[in-house]
Amino acid sequence: MIEVRMTPPAESLGELYDRVSRRLYAYALSLTGDAARSEDAVHDAFVRLLQYAPGRDVKSLEGLLFTTTRNIILDERRRRVVRENAPAPLPLAQASGEFDEAATRALGRLPEEQREAVVLKIYAGLTFAEIGEVTGTSLATAAGRYRLGIEKLAELLPRNDA
Amino acid sequence: MTPEDVEARLRSLRTPAPPERLRERCLGPHHASRRPLATLAVAASFLGIGLSVWLVAISGPKPQTVKTIATEIQKHPDPEKRAADPVLQDKVDRLLRENPGKGILVVRVKELRNGTFLPVTSGLWMQIVLQPAKERPDPKKKLDRLEARVDLDGMLIFVATPGPYRVGEVQHSPGEALSMLSFDWWEHKEFSVKAGEVLALADAVFAPFMQWSSPAQGSTVRIKEDPRISWEPYPEIAEVAIQVYRVEKTEGGFTPLSNLGLLKRDASRESGILLAELLKALRITAAPGDRLSFDLSGYDSSGRKLTRSRARLEVLLKE
């Protein structure tokens, strides 16, 4: 995490993007299930970052990006007239590049708040305190959701897939 | 499976990488809120092909003079490579289906910022007039005026009638931010638009103006002191062209300029030239009391004009 007290110069913005984009995109994908909407959300989060950060005392740019991305996606959901089905699961692949269908499907079957906590912890690398800030809950709630999610995954994932 | 096993397994898995274009979009100079749905379909392809195509079909942007297509067209100008991407091919096919018998011209628009060329994704409208390549310009003949607004992929897309052309006229309207930058687009080569094909024209670049550093604007300089005409270093500029004018006497409220010559010079090492050297190279005889004016154009290493001085530098010569 980095502390920011002023407009991030272009170089550090690029570094920030390189460091956070994959994790942020994965988080957005886990919420939307749609690549294009995720791309838009990450893009808009960066736009808002540039609009918001100048002159402000921002504790964590990464945290702000995750929170903003989440807000953008939830706002967009509320605006949609047609109720959506559950989003497509976040596609997970093994190191070899092979699609891990069992893990992807199991993660997709978690309740959204648990899935969100798992994705933010495992794939975004946030602490429970940061997850609490992003999702607007307490540290304990964030940790509880994560623990429940992992326990549920332990039931859903067959042992022979491990 | 234990919770620890689950955590270890999840940590060993990888999530999808964001598309490459997202970096440019996020760090680009001009941000717009939404991608056109036509472009959205490409990005959505690796999750839900059918849904995306359906979305584009029923709720894509309203037909305009020019429709947008995806960045990948630029990445894959070769039709065979485009064909390898079924979604992209579908977009190209659809665009051409909406404009039967036409071809597509693409101009990529970029802004030079901090030494990097970033795509311009909003704020530019451009109109080009295509002149038939083998014909003399005939003012009585009505020519097609092609218009486009830059899209979220940083491209101007023109739908054109097949034929051999050269660019006959260009008009553009930049947004407020872009209007502060130098812009000088022209396609110098003749080209041929073919039905059903995509052709990339020269890139269009917005770049910061060159800045004069000495002598001061409107100052009086001594010929004997041989002042140095200099400009701020511009790393992307490999060559400059210095245009020299003599400012003539004002008559009837009009101040004519006499063109004294143009000197092209390597700018990779130096960002200035002594006045005596400049005058000698152009065989200009200057005298005290003469008022000279200088214009500067900057070219990149490929010889493309990249920028120019925003204002002419004017000095009064003194013995």
Side-chain angles (χ1 to χ4, degrees):
Chain A
M1 298 290 181
I2 55 178
E3 298 284 321
V4 172
R5 296 272 189 293
M6 56 183 292
T7 310
E11 308 84 66
S12 70
L13 192 66
E15 290 167 6
L16 174 68
Y17 177 87
D18 291 339
R19 192 170 61 249
V20 78
S21 60
R22 186 172 190 130
R23 296 181 284 136
L24 195 60
Y25 182 68
Y27 176 49
L29 260 183
S30 75
L31 293 178
T32 65
D34 182 295
R37 283 167 60 198
S38 302
E39 187 183 333
D40 279 341
V42 172
H43 168 250
D44 287 357
F46 267 87
V47 173
R48 289 191 195 177
L49 174 79
L50 291 173
Q51 292 169 344
Y52 177 87
R56 306 236 184 166
D57 187 356
V58 182
K59 187 179 172 186
S60 158
L61 276 186
E62 286 192 16
L64 181 64
L65 279 171
F66 278 97
T67 305
T68 308
T69 300
R70 184 177 194 269
N71 290 341
I72 289 167
I73 290 169
L74 296 187
D75 284 348
E76 192 208 22
R77 265 192 212 170
R78 291 186 198 109
R79 282 199 303 270
R80 285 178 178 252
V81 178
V82 181
R83 191 168 176 82
E84 294 177 316
N85 295 324
L90 172 68
L92 298 171
Q94 294 166 6
S96 62
E98 191 179 343
F99 178 58
D100 192 327
E101 188 176 356
T104 300
R105 190 178 296 167
L107 187 64
R109 288 180 61 186
L110 292 184
E112 183 166 15
E113 66 273 12
Q114 293 175 19
R115 182 172 65 243
E116 187 177 26
V118 169
V119 169
L120 284 172
K121 181 70 180 167
I122 300 282
Y123 298 112
L126 301 190
T127 64
F128 288 128
E130 289 164 344
I131 295 172
E133 283 181 21
V134 170
T135 58
T137 59
S138 67
L139 183 154
T141 303
R145 287 176 178 175
Y146 173 78
R147 183 176 53 77
L148 287 173
I150 292 294
E151 287 174 359
K152 184 85 180 283
L153 286 173
E155 296 170 13
L156 293 171
L157 280 170
R159 186 173 295 273
N160 59 5
D161 277 335
Chain B
M1 247 181 148
T2 66
E4 291 73 25
D5 291 337
V6 171
E7 282 185 311
R9 175 163 174 181
L10 289 180
R11 287 185 193 285
S12 73
L13 300 177
R14 296 165 55 188
T15 58
E20 285 180 17
R21 65 169 171 262
L22 181 57
R23 189 177 203 283
E24 291 186 340
R25 286 184 68 200
C26 289
L27 305 182
H30 303 290
H31 301 280
S33 57
R34 291 289 121 190
R35 298 165 55 73
L37 284 178
T39 307
L40 183 151
V42 169
S45 60
F46 59 91
L47 275 188
I49 308 297
L51 176 62
S52 305
V53 172
W54 176 76
L55 272 174
V56 169
I58 65 160
S59 60
K62 298 296 179 194
Q64 299 171 351
T65 309
V66 173
K67 286 95 181 170
T68 57
I69 53 175
T71 310
E72 282 72 6
I73 287 176
Q74 190 70 19
K75 291 178 183 170
H76 304 297
D78 182 347
E80 289 186 10
K81 289 182 181 174
R82 282 210 310 275
D85 181 338
V87 174
L88 179 59
Q89 186 63 54
D90 176 71
K91 291 165 76 66
V92 174
D93 290 345
R94 184 161 37 77
L95 185 67
L96 294 171
R97 230 176 9 249
E98 291 167 355
N99 300 278
K102 302 281 187 173
I104 297 167
L105 296 173
V106 178
V107 176
R108 282 194 299 179
V109 189
K110 300 171 182 176
E111 178 187 335
L112 175 60
R113 186 199 275 191
N114 299 328
T116 306
F117 289 93
L118 299 167
V120 170
T121 55
S122 68
L124 175 66
W125 166 90
M126 197 155 93
Q127 182 187 72
I128 59 175
V129 176
L130 298 185
Q131 180 75 40
K134 304 301 177 191
E135 296 178 15
R136 284 189 168 192
D138 179 0
K140 293 179 182 174
K141 186 174 181 181
K142 191 176 179 183
L143 301 171
D144 283 342
R145 293 179 179 273
L146 310 179
E147 294 181 9
R149 285 190 183 280
V150 70
D151 67 16
L152 291 176
D153 291 311
M155 290 195 292
L156 294 161
I157 313 291
F158 303 93
V159 177
T161 304
Y165 294 107
R166 60 175 176 267
V167 171
E169 187 182 320
V170 176
Q171 291 185 43
H172 79 286
S173 173
E176 190 177 353
L178 294 176
S179 66
M180 306 300 289
L181 300 170
S182 167
F183 181 73
D184 188 15
W185 183 84
W186 196 267
E187 173 57 70
H188 295 278
K189 295 176 184 170
E190 293 185 356
F191 53 90
S192 184
V193 177
K194 293 176 182 171
E197 292 192 11
V198 180
L199 180 68
L201 300 182
D203 290 353
V205 177
F206 285 87
F209 285 102
M210 300 182 80
Q211 304 286 341
W212 295 105
S213 54
S214 71
Q217 178 68 262
S219 61
T220 300
V221 297
R222 289 182 176 277
I223 299 175
K224 284 183 181 175
E225 292 177 357
D226 195 12
R228 181 178 167 82
I229 310 294
S230 66
W231 50 91
E232 296 294 330
Y234 203 123
E236 293 79 15
I237 296 299
E239 187 181 47
V240 292
I242 310 162
Q243 181 83 51
V244 186
Y245 304 90
R246 179 180 286 115
V247 183
E248 306 294 354
K249 288 182 181 174
T250 302
E251 291 180 3
F254 177 66
T255 306
L257 295 176
S258 298
N259 186 353
L260 301 182
L262 175 82
L263 178 68
K264 280 204 167 188
R265 186 178 170 85
D266 178 11
S268 56
R269 293 181 184 174
E270 282 190 290
S271 55
I273 183 171
L274 293 173
L275 178 62
E277 185 184 353
L278 175 62
L279 297 180
K280 184 180 177 185
L282 295 175
R283 297 177 184 173
I284 298 170
T285 306
D290 279 352
R291 191 176 291 277
L292 298 183
S293 182
F294 306 94
D295 230 349
L296 203 57
S297 296
Y299 298 82
D300 65 14
S301 56
S302 67
R304 177 183 60 175
K305 186 175 176 182
L306 188 62
T307 182
R308 60 183 172 82
S309 53
R310 181 195 288 272
R312 289 198 186 96
L313 172 67
E314 197 171 303
V315 295
L316 176 65
L317 301 186
K318 195 177 175 183
E319 193 175 351

